[in-house]
Amino acid sequence: MKKTFLILFFTLAYTASNAQKDFQGMAVYESKTSMSDFKARFEGNKNITPDMQKMMEERMKKMFEKTFVLNFDKSASIYKEEEKLESPQSQGGMGIRMMGSFTGGGGTFYKNVKDKTYVVDKEFMGKEFLVKDSLATLNWKMEAETRVIGGYTCYKATAVKAASKTDFRNFRPRKEGEVKKEADQPSEGKKTNFMDAVEMPKEITIAAWYTPEIPVNQGPEGYWGLPGLILEINDGKTTILCSKVVLNPKDKAEIKPSTKGKVVSQKEYDETVIKKMEEFREMNQGRGGGMEIRINR
């Protein structure tokens, strides 16, 4: 009897261990960044026709409204934009493509919460990079608010973090009178490079909604560190909301980091992007390029 009990005990323990090991989930997220302040800032600009404005809004919508899929297990996850076929005509000019390369999309974001590391492959200006670094640890503050998302009871947590200088979603239009202008341009219809018309905040406040009903230390993008899957993130002007969760899907995903690209740290990658942005700004200064805007006074 004792022998039978021990066999049953070890069988159940082995089964539970394998169940934990094989556990996997999939979550779909819809990411949307509000560009209303930019639209309001340049509405009424005589140099932008209704057709031009409509085209700009359509392109910005494609840049700032995206769908992502998060595949996760107990210790690691991969977060990747859902692939969509686009015609060459819809891709826009160089400036649009350049901005689109750092608006949260592109590449596979792998994070291992056990090792507290992440790996993300990025393509920038025709070059492939493999960014490897340590996960940022946010000082989460647990709030009393609760809400239901997709049938799961979620709890709110907030944190403050430094704004990424290479994430276009964090840019803000400068206030009236603060936009840098070329001295050699006439006062009426002065030309201003796009990068001179925006600024980056030093820090942004994050609001997360997580559910302990899915007890994994995971979330979209680089977010983690809460006692449950993060189903929604309000990151400055960007909202990332989970629209679907599947636990233990029939088809398991391969959760491992990418290996393609030049290995760099996050700091090295940011420095490369910032340098190229400055070069691009100087190249387009005073020209009628795709990144230039005209501000009437």
Side-chain angles (χ1 to χ4, degrees):
M1 181 70 180
K2 185 177 181 181
K3 184 178 180 180
T4 302
F5 175 78
L6 288 173
I7 292 174
L8 179 61
F9 173 79
F10 285 115
T11 299
L12 290 173
Y14 176 79
T15 302
S17 176
N18 277 338
Q20 288 288 329
K21 183 179 179 181
D22 296 335
F23 169 79
Q24 196 174 111
M26 184 274 289
V28 178
Y29 291 87
E30 308 296 334
S31 175
K32 185 174 182 178
T33 300
S34 172
M35 299 304 294
S36 58
D37 49 358
F38 279 97
K39 289 172 62 177
R41 181 72 168 78
F42 301 115
E43 274 184 357
N45 191 321
K46 297 178 181 179
N47 295 285
I48 301 178
T49 66
D51 288 341
M52 290 171 61
Q53 184 169 341
K54 183 179 179 180
M55 180 183 68
M56 289 169 62
E57 289 178 0
E58 289 176 351
R59 288 181 176 177
M60 292 179 78
K61 182 177 180 180
K62 291 178 181 178
M63 284 170 53
F64 297 109
E65 293 185 17
K66 300 181 178 181
T67 301
F68 295 85
V69 176
L70 177 75
N71 289 285
F72 58 90
D73 56 28
K74 286 290 185 179
S75 60
S77 66
I78 51 174
Y79 183 72
K80 188 173 183 179
E81 182 180 355
E82 188 176 70
E83 295 182 2
K84 295 178 181 178
L85 292 176
E86 292 187 7
S87 63
Q89 292 81 5
S90 67
Q91 294 176 4
M94 181 181 177
I96 292 292
R97 294 197 305 272
M98 182 178 178
M99 288 188 292
S101 66
F102 43 93
T103 54
T108 299
F109 196 118
Y110 168 89
K111 62 177 178 285
N112 190 311
V113 297
K114 184 178 180 181
D115 298 336
K116 297 181 180 179
T117 59
Y118 69 91
V119 179
V120 55
D121 57 312
K122 291 177 174 287
E123 182 179 344
F124 182 71
M125 301 293 283
K127 295 183 179 180
E128 293 185 341
F129 296 89
L130 190 66
V131 182
K132 292 186 176 183
D133 220 314
S134 300
L135 282 170
T137 302
L138 295 179
N139 184 23
W140 291 109
K141 177 185 177 183
M142 303 304 185
E143 308 288 353
E145 297 176 58
T146 64
R147 56 181 288 205
V148 176
I149 300 176
Y152 293 95
T153 300
C154 296
Y155 298 82
K156 186 179 181 180
T158 57
V160 176
K161 74 169 186 176
S164 169
K165 294 181 180 179
T166 58
D167 190 339
F168 183 79
R169 296 172 300 179
N170 292 327
F171 283 138
R172 308 287 190 272
R174 291 182 184 274
K175 296 179 181 178
E176 289 286 348
E178 293 183 356
V179 181
K180 299 177 183 178
K181 293 171 282 191
E182 294 180 53
D184 59 348
Q185 292 293 328
S187 58
E188 180 67 24
K190 291 193 176 185
K191 290 183 178 179
T192 303
N193 185 278
F194 181 84
M195 298 308 296
D196 290 334
V198 296
E199 62 182 352
M200 178 73 69
K202 292 183 178 180
E203 58 185 27
I204 53 179
T205 299
I206 311 299
W209 294 90
Y210 68 94
T211 177
E213 295 174 31
I214 306 177
V216 294
N217 198 352
Q218 293 287 348
E221 294 190 2
Y223 292 106
W224 69 291
L226 290 169
L229 180 65
I230 298 173
L231 296 186
E232 181 176 335
I233 281 283
N234 295 301
D235 176 349
K237 297 192 303 176
T238 300
T239 296
I240 305 174
L241 176 63
C242 182
S243 59
K244 179 181 179 181
V245 176
V246 179
L247 299 180
N248 290 312
K250 182 178 179 181
D251 298 323
K252 303 290 184 180
E254 189 175 33
I255 300 177
K256 66 177 185 179
S258 177
T259 57
K260 65 178 182 178
K262 178 184 177 182
V263 178
V264 294
S265 66
Q266 186 67 59
K267 181 180 179 182
E268 290 171 331
Y269 176 77
D270 289 349
E271 289 173 347
T272 298
V273 172
I274 291 171
K275 181 180 178 181
K276 290 297 181 183
M277 287 171 64
E278 282 298 316
E279 292 176 356
F280 192 74
R281 183 187 68 82
E282 292 173 4
M283 180 179 69
N284 284 272
Q285 192 73 38
R287 299 181 181 180
M291 285 288 285
E292 184 180 80
I293 55 176
R294 186 184 293 268
I295 300 176
N296 292 313
R297 295 291 176 186

